[in-house]
Amino acid sequence: MIPQTTCSSDNARRLVLLSRRASKIPTMCKTVSGRPVKYKEWMEGSQQKLDQAVSAVRNKQLSIRKAAQQFGIPHSTLHDHVSGKVNPGATGHCRYLSDIEEEELALFLKKNAEIGYPRTRKDAILLAQAIVEVKGLDVQVTEGWWERFRGRHPSLILRKGEPLSQR
C-alpha cells in the first residue's frame, strides 16, 4: 500500500506506475539462499582466475598463499572462497530500484523542494519502500539504502528550514 502522506501527488503515483513498467525489465539481482545478491562485475578474466585458483587449492596442487600470489588474487578472498565462507561471485547490496526509478525519485524530491514542499529522509525511504512493494520484492528499505542513494545522487542535499523572519 502506498503511504498517503508521501505519495499524494501525481508525480508519486507516476513513480509507482513507472516502477510497475520497470518491474517487467529483467532485474540485476539473483536470489541465493533466499536473499537478493548482486554479482560483482569482475575485471575481464578475474572470475576465471579465481575459479582456477580455487580448484588448484582444492586439488592440493598449491597452497592458498602460493595460489593467491600466482593468480594475483588477495589471500583473504581466496581463503574465503576455498573455505566456502562466500557464495561464488556474490558481493555487495542489490539495488532495489532501477536507474530509471532512482532518477524519477530524485527528480520528484527535487521538484517538491523547488515548489516549497521539501521531503524528509523518512519520506524518501517510505516512497522507495512503496515502490519496492509494488515490484514484489520482500525487502526493507533502510537508512543504509538512503546513504547509498544520496551517494549516487550527490545533488540531493538535506537542509534545515530557516524562518523567513524572527519575532
Side-chain angles (χ1 to χ4, degrees):
M1 176 169 225
I2 302 169
Q4 291 299 318
T5 57
T6 60
C7 299
S8 59
S9 74
D10 291 333
N11 285 340
R13 286 191 184 87
R14 200 173 91 229
L15 275 172
V16 173
L17 290 175
L18 180 63
S19 73
R20 287 183 183 151
R21 281 195 305 255
S23 67
K24 295 174 184 165
I25 300 171
T27 60
M28 300 177 288
C29 303
K30 295 185 180 182
T31 302
V32 175
S33 304
R35 65 182 182 90
V37 180
K38 179 178 143 187
Y39 286 89
K40 185 175 183 178
E41 295 176 9
W42 288 81
M43 296 184 314
E44 191 172 322
S46 292
Q47 183 62 48
Q48 185 179 5
K49 286 182 190 177
L50 180 62
D51 293 340
Q52 290 172 348
V54 168
S55 66
V57 171
R58 286 188 177 155
N59 294 335
K60 301 194 189 254
Q61 295 171 342
L62 295 170
S63 68
I64 292 176
R65 189 164 304 282
K66 285 188 180 183
Q69 290 171 350
Q70 183 176 334
F71 289 97
I73 298 169
H75 175 267
S76 59
T77 300
L78 183 56
H79 181 272
D80 291 346
H81 283 269
V82 169
S83 67
K85 184 177 179 181
V86 177
N87 292 331
T91 65
H93 294 275
C94 176
R95 293 203 24 208
Y96 303 142
L97 305 179
S98 68
D99 290 337
I100 296 168
E101 291 166 330
E102 281 199 1
E103 287 299 325
E104 284 290 322
L105 179 58
L107 182 64
F108 172 75
L109 295 171
K110 288 178 197 174
K111 291 291 183 186
N112 272 264
E114 286 175 8
I115 62 172
Y117 296 102
R119 300 296 179 165
T120 63
R121 171 187 349 216
K122 187 173 182 177
D123 290 339
I125 290 172
L126 288 173
L127 185 54
Q129 184 67 45
I131 294 169
V132 165
E133 287 173 3
V134 167
K135 290 175 74 171
L137 295 175
D138 186 26
V139 294
Q140 184 67 35
V141 179
T142 63
E143 294 285 329
W145 172 85
W146 169 253
E147 293 303 323
R148 290 186 300 277
F149 176 73
R150 282 202 39 224
R152 291 187 295 271
H153 301 277
S155 62
L156 291 177
I157 299 170
L158 289 179
R159 296 187 181 125
K160 290 187 178 184
E162 297 180 19
L164 295 175
S165 62
Q166 293 182 350
R167 291 183 178 205

